[in-house]
């Protein structure tokens, strides 16, 4: 029954709102006259009553086939979070200061851990479980390697498990804009008051944005001190190590270095594979392992790009209704050439021979037998398009003139465009074989 009720409500709400607001929502009690729900936080309770009251009533009416009154109560904090509330504070639920829009996908559960991010990950988990224990925490690493994901995971976790703590996630850009706006409106005092005294966990992203901006750095310095002295948790992200923040006040840099500096490195190919697999799983889609390897191979330097590649290929597969092949993937992802390897030229003849059953000599001769002509044309096309060879190099390799090569490439393009499946599959076979050999060479 419980599942049925939750299912009915979930069915009426979009996924994002469900994940944002209903993560702690549960049925507490049920009688024949009323249903009592439970949430983890007073603020969420009020919000749900206001925003989702009618939706919940409607769902209950469907399930019970009559009007069913309900109430929402909030469960008192768990033991762990009670410990975190300072002793002199009354156990009154504080309203979260700012409901920061967090990306619902950026959770610890969705984060793949490997050697390059292990330390940053463990530190973040520790911070989320015991805010204030390690202070400050400075997460740094190249673009697209998971800093925002981790810091928002801390946000999700604290929001869910420490309902009493006021958690704020914001980018440094927003921090700056807010200060500027508040000063314009003559409300600089309110800004200070808000960030210096009303925050328990400050998650500040992309602090490198403040490079060279003196005024805001001073503001941050004072905010930092007040929070730090009050034992509040501070987590800062940056695309570089504190010591490399040029044009940053030294006093601020030394503050950043006072606690833990956790660097995220470039992931190795194995983690990239796992990350890609996780993303595919989250999209409830599937891609061949070969494709996953190809993605991991080409996008290991930036996981945001890796994600882009995964999403693109899944979309293509869903739209075309066909499985993506490695050569499709090369096209779609705009990876123009196969990994350049010595001997690629030799290997192209081997591939052509094994696929068309004709010899290298025949391909290079003027023979007009159908298989020979096909092998020659496909070979020229693959060399030009996939191996990224120049017109001249292809002409030399196949012993033909430049115009013949251009003409051949154009003709094959036309055949593909006209939906010639045979040509397409021949090209795929050749490319796949070349790729398999290239991979074999790598390992
Ligand atoms: P950064 O803030 O360091 O530039 P992000 O945190 O925005 O990078 O990460 C970029 C993308 O890569 C996001 O979609 C994020 O979910 C994903 N990502 C990064 N690292 C991981 C990981 N270890 N596991 C799963 N996804 C990851
Ligand atoms: Mg980021």
């Amino acid at each position: 029954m419980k599942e049925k009720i939750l299912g009915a409500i979930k069915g009426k709400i979009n996924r994002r709102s469900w994940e944002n607001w209903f993560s702690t929502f549960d049925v507490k009690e049920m009688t024949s006259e009323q249903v009592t729900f439970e949430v983890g936080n007073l603020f969420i309770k009020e919000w749900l009553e206001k925003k989702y009251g009618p939706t919940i009533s409607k769902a209950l009416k469907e399930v019970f086939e009559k009007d069913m009154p309900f109430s929402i109560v909030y469960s008192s904090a768990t033991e762990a979070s009670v410990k975190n509330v300072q002793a002199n504070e009354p156990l009154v639920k504080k309203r979260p200061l700012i409901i920061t829009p967090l990306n619902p996908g950026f959770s610890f559960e969705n984060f793949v851990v490997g050697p390059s991010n292990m330390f940053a990950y463990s530190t973040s988990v520790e911070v989320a479980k015991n805010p204030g224990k390690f202070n400050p925490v400075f997460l740094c690493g190249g673009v697209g390697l998971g800093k925002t994901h981790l810091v928002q995971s801390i946000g999700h976790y604290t929001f869910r498990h420490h309902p009493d703590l006021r958690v704020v996630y914001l980018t440094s850009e927003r921090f700056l804009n807010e200060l500027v706006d508040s000063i314009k409106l003559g409300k600089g005092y309110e800004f200070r008051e808000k960030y210096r005294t009303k925050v328990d966990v400050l998650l500040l992203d992309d602090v490198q944005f403040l490079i060279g901006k003196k005024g805001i750095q001073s503001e941050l310095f004072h905010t930092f001190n007040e929070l730090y002295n009050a034992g509040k948790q501070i987590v800062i992200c940056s695309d570089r190590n504190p010591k490399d923040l040029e044009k940053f006040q030294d006093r601020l840099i030394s503050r950043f270095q006072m606690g833990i500096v956790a660097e995220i490195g470039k992931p190795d190919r194995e983690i990239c594979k796992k990350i890609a697999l996780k993303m595919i799983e989250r999209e409830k889609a599937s891609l061949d392992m070969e494709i996953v390897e190809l993605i991991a191979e080409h996008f290991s330097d930036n996981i945001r790009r890796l994600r882009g590649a995964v999403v693109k290929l899944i979309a293509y597969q869903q739209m075309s209704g066909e499985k993506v092949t490695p050569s499709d993937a090369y096209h779609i992802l705009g990876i123009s050439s196969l990994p350049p390897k010595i001997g690629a030229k030799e290997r192209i003849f081997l591939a052509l021979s094994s696929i068309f059953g004709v010899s290298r000599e025949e391909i290079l001769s003027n023979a007009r037998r159908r298989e020979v002509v096909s092998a020659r044309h496909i070979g020229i096309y693959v060399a030009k398009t996939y191996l990224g060879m120049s017109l001249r190099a292809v002409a030399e390799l196949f012993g033909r003139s430049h115009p013949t090569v251009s003409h051949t490439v154009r003709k094959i393009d036309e055949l593909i465009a006209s939906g010639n499946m045979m040509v397409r599959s021949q090209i795929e076979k050749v490319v796949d074989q070349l790729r398999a050999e290239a991979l074999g060479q790598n390992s």
Side-chain angles (χ1 to χ4, degrees):
M1 197 57 174
K2 204 165 125 177
E3 262 69 60
K4 214 167 155 187
I5 297 172
L6 293 178
I9 299 171
K10 193 174 173 184
K12 299 194 180 306
I13 290 165
N14 73 39
R15 199 178 97 206
R16 205 182 162 112
S17 309
W18 177 264
E19 282 169 355
N20 279 345
W21 296 106
F22 289 81
S23 60
T24 61
F25 186 82
D26 207 345
V27 177
K28 185 178 186 187
E29 259 177 0
M30 229 165 20
T31 65
S32 53
E33 271 118 26
Q34 95 145 359
V35 178
T36 310
F37 295 103
E38 185 182 46
V39 290
N41 165 319
L42 176 62
F43 174 74
I44 296 184
K45 163 183 148 65
E46 288 170 356
W47 178 264
L48 290 184
E49 284 168 349
K50 205 163 91 196
K51 283 292 270 194
Y52 293 101
T55 312
I56 296 171
S57 296
K58 219 162 137 194
L60 288 175
K61 190 166 181 176
E62 279 172 16
V63 173
F64 292 94
E65 293 171 345
K66 64 170 186 171
D67 283 322
M68 190 69 168
F70 73 92
S71 65
I72 303 179
V73 298
Y74 74 89
S75 57
S76 57
T78 60
E79 289 221 341
S81 61
V82 170
K83 262 193 274 158
N84 270 294
V85 178
Q86 284 166 7
N88 57 356
E89 277 179 358
L91 206 69
V92 171
K93 304 291 169 237
K94 289 179 282 190
R95 188 176 225 268
L97 172 65
I98 298 173
I99 294 298
T100 336
L102 294 175
N103 181 327
F106 286 0
S107 63
F108 286 129
E109 293 76 36
N110 288 337
F111 194 80
V112 178
V113 186
S116 58
N117 57 31
M118 178 58 118
F119 183 59
Y121 170 82
S122 330
T123 305
S124 303
V125 170
E126 210 45 52
V127 163
K129 287 190 172 157
N130 304 293
K133 184 171 163 193
F134 299 123
N135 226 358
V137 165
F138 194 95
L139 296 177
C140 53
V143 174
L145 296 184
K147 301 177 298 290
T148 299
H149 188 136
L150 274 182
V151 79
Q152 291 208 1
S153 301
I154 298 176
H156 281 298
Y157 190 98
T158 32
F159 196 72
R160 190 175 302 174
H161 296 272
H162 307 289
D164 303 327
L165 298 183
R166 293 162 301 185
V167 184
V168 175
Y169 164 86
L170 80 171
T171 61
S172 299
E173 185 176 8
R174 170 147 167 220
F175 187 69
L176 170 67
N177 290 341
E178 245 187 74
L179 175 66
V180 171
D181 289 348
S182 63
I183 291 174
K184 266 192 218 146
L185 296 170
K187 291 180 172 174
Y189 170 79
E190 277 175 27
F191 176 88
R192 277 177 198 127
E193 161 105 353
K194 173 169 151 191
Y195 285 106
R196 295 184 193 179
T197 63
K198 289 184 180 163
V199 172
D200 298 307
V201 178
L202 177 67
L203 309 171
L204 186 65
D205 208 347
D206 291 325
V207 84
Q208 76 278 354
F209 182 81
L210 306 184
I211 283 178
K213 304 186 171 87
K214 280 207 191 114
I216 185 78
Q217 285 180 21
S218 296
E219 185 61 41
L220 178 58
F221 176 75
H222 294 297
T223 307
F224 186 103
N225 286 345
E226 297 251 354
L227 292 177
Y228 184 83
N229 293 336
K232 309 298 189 185
Q233 178 69 52
I234 303 164
V235 183
I236 292 169
C237 296
S238 153
D239 68 357
R240 62 203 82 177
N241 194 287
K243 65 178 189 317
D244 301 322
L245 286 167
E246 334 85 40
K247 296 204 194 146
F248 240 80
Q249 299 179 0
D250 288 338
R251 55 179 187 170
L252 205 44
I253 292 182
S254 68
R255 291 293 183 290
F256 292 162
Q257 293 169 324
M258 257 167 16
I260 296 184
V261 175
E263 193 149 356
I264 307 184
K266 284 221 181 349
D268 60 34
R269 211 185 277 182
E270 270 319 293
I271 321 178
C272 286
K273 254 162 69 179
K274 282 194 199 146
I275 293 174
L277 286 170
K278 183 119 202 169
M279 289 170 174
I280 297 166
E281 180 195 311
R282 275 176 56 205
E283 299 292 328
K284 297 194 174 53
S286 77
L287 288 176
D288 283 347
M289 205 51 204
E290 231 183 326
I291 304 286
V292 173
E293 307 232 349
L294 189 153
I295 296 172
E297 183 189 355
H298 283 91
F299 295 90
S300 62
D301 56 337
N302 179 333
I303 300 172
R304 188 168 307 125
R305 289 184 56 231
L306 182 139
R307 181 171 163 72
V310 168
V311 169
K312 223 162 160 183
L313 294 182
I314 290 176
Y316 173 88
Q317 193 161 273
Q318 285 168 349
M319 282 184 309
S320 70
E322 279 175 37
K323 270 208 169 310
V324 173
T325 65
S327 55
D328 290 335
Y330 273 99
H331 269 312
I332 298 164
L333 302 177
I335 309 168
S336 58
S337 61
L338 292 165
K341 279 274 167 321
I342 319 136
K345 293 178 192 167
E346 294 311 310
R347 282 183 291 109
I348 195 164
F349 287 107
L350 287 177
L352 293 171
S353 301
S354 78
I355 290 161
F356 292 90
V358 298
S359 71
R360 177 191 180 123
E361 286 65 40
E362 285 176 295
I363 296 172
L364 293 179
S365 75
N366 286 326
R368 305 294 314 159
R369 203 151 55 83
R370 220 181 63 205
E371 301 82 77
V372 179
V373 172
S374 296
R376 195 179 292 138
H377 286 177
I378 300 290
I380 288 174
Y381 187 80
V382 169
K384 179 78 186 72
T385 320
Y386 289 86
L387 294 177
M389 287 170 67
S390 68
L391 199 60
R392 177 186 189 153
V394 180
E396 256 170 42
L397 185 62
F398 286 86
R400 310 283 136 176
S401 68
H402 294 191
T404 308
V405 172
S406 321
H407 176 73
T408 306
V409 171
R410 246 194 341 267
K411 212 168 107 187
I412 302 272
D413 269 333
E414 278 165 18
L415 288 174
I416 296 174
S418 70
N420 188 315
M421 294 309 284
M422 169 92 150
V423 164
R424 200 177 130 170
S425 102
Q426 285 170 337
I427 293 172
E428 264 163 24
K429 277 192 200 142
V430 174
V431 171
D432 287 353
Q433 182 160 335
L434 284 175
R435 253 199 61 75
E437 282 170 13
L439 285 178
Q441 273 197 356
N442 278 340
S443 56

